[in-house]
């Protein structure tokens, strides 16, 4: 469910580990990215298994909470989704870019993916120590995230594969 203002520590709940999915949905967009939505269709079902292993899960987007809530309702999702509209979280973790940043990026940056506009997909992992200290332990971007969506793996087993470009349409 879309929630109001939360800090990073509160996203852990009572868990010591946290996975954040950076959902592509900029403040000026009317709806989320279809690529992120494809991934998000799998989230509700895995959260119980993550929670059982001391892992919290949250989704972060730059769009305002009211836009996220409308989209979440339309898509019938229930995972923890928060807005970073009033902070620099998505910029800090290299999944949202201002125009001046995009102009100065190197090919190895997250925007090397041709789908990337002002937002790019990403995953960030954090660990919270018993004294409350939080450590960023991993980030993955763009193509490195494909392994997290098992539907791609099943598609890759078939003769037509992902048929991403309609190559097999007749």
């Amino acid at each position: 469910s879309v929630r109001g203002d939360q800090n990073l520590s509160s996203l852990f709940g009572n868990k010591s580990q946290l996975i954040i999915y950076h959902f592509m949905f900029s403040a000026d967009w009317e709806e989320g990215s279809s690529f992120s939505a494809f991934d998000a269709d799998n989230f509700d079902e895995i959260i119980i298994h993550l929670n059982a292993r001391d892992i919290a899960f949250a989704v972060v987007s730059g769009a305002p909470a009211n836009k996220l809530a409308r989209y979440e309702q339309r898509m019938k999702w229930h995972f923890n989704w928060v807005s970073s509209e009033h902070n620099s979280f998505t910029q800090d973790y290299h999944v949202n870019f201002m125009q001046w940043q995009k102009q100065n990026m190197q090919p190895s940056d997250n925007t090397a993916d041709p789908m990337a506009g002002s937002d790019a997909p990403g995953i960030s992992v954090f660990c919270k120590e018993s004294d409350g200290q939080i450590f960023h332990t991993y980030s993955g971007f763009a193509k490195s995230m494909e392994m997290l969506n098992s539907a791609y793996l099943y598609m890759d087993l078939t003769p037509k594969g992902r048929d991403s470009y309609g190559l097999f349409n007749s």
Side-chain angles (χ1 to χ4, degrees):
S1 298
V2 175
R3 303 223 167 99
D5 291 337
Q6 290 190 11
N7 61 29
L8 183 61
S9 182
S10 69
L11 295 177
F12 282 85
N14 64 354
K15 309 298 181 207
S16 69
Q17 302 169 96
L18 170 65
I19 297 172
I20 291 182
Y21 179 89
H22 300 281
F23 190 107
M24 294 189 299
F25 195 156
S26 284
D28 57 338
W29 297 2
E30 290 307 311
E31 61 181 30
S33 153
S34 61
F35 299 101
S36 288
F38 182 54
D39 287 342
D41 281 340
N42 298 284
F43 295 162
D44 285 330
E45 289 75 19
I46 65 168
I47 292 171
I48 191 169
H49 301 286
L50 296 174
N51 288 170
R53 288 157 181 87
D54 193 33
I55 304 166
F57 183 84
V59 175
V60 176
S61 295
N66 63 338
K67 278 188 180 181
L68 300 180
R70 281 193 305 269
Y71 192 63
E72 175 192 48
Q73 184 177 13
R74 181 180 127 201
M75 301 301 285
K76 297 180 175 51
W77 294 326
H78 304 286
F79 48 79
N80 186 15
W81 199 356
V82 296
S83 170
S84 63
E85 176 187 26
H86 299 293
N87 61 56
S88 63
F89 187 80
T90 55
Q91 290 90 20
D92 295 345
Y93 287 93
H94 310 288
V95 294
N96 180 274
F97 311 99
M98 304 298 169
Q99 188 58 37
W100 66 268
Q101 291 172 305
K102 288 182 64 85
Q103 292 170 350
N104 296 311
M105 289 189 159
Q106 301 300 312
S108 61
D109 291 335
N110 197 18
T111 55
D113 186 322
M115 295 183 315
S118 59
D119 269 17
I123 196 108
S124 296
V125 180
F126 301 88
C127 178
K128 187 179 193 181
E129 298 292 324
S130 58
D131 65 1
Q133 278 191 296
I134 297 174
F135 297 93
H136 174 232
T137 61
Y138 175 82
S139 279
F141 305 104
K143 294 286 187 184
S144 69
M145 296 173 46
E146 285 186 358
M147 67 181 168
L148 301 175
N149 188 329
S150 63
Y152 284 132
L153 302 175
Y154 285 100
M155 289 176 203
D156 290 344
L157 295 172
T158 67
K160 291 183 181 180
R162 298 179 193 187
D163 198 15
S164 299
Y165 302 102
L167 298 175
F168 297 102
N169 291 337
S170 45

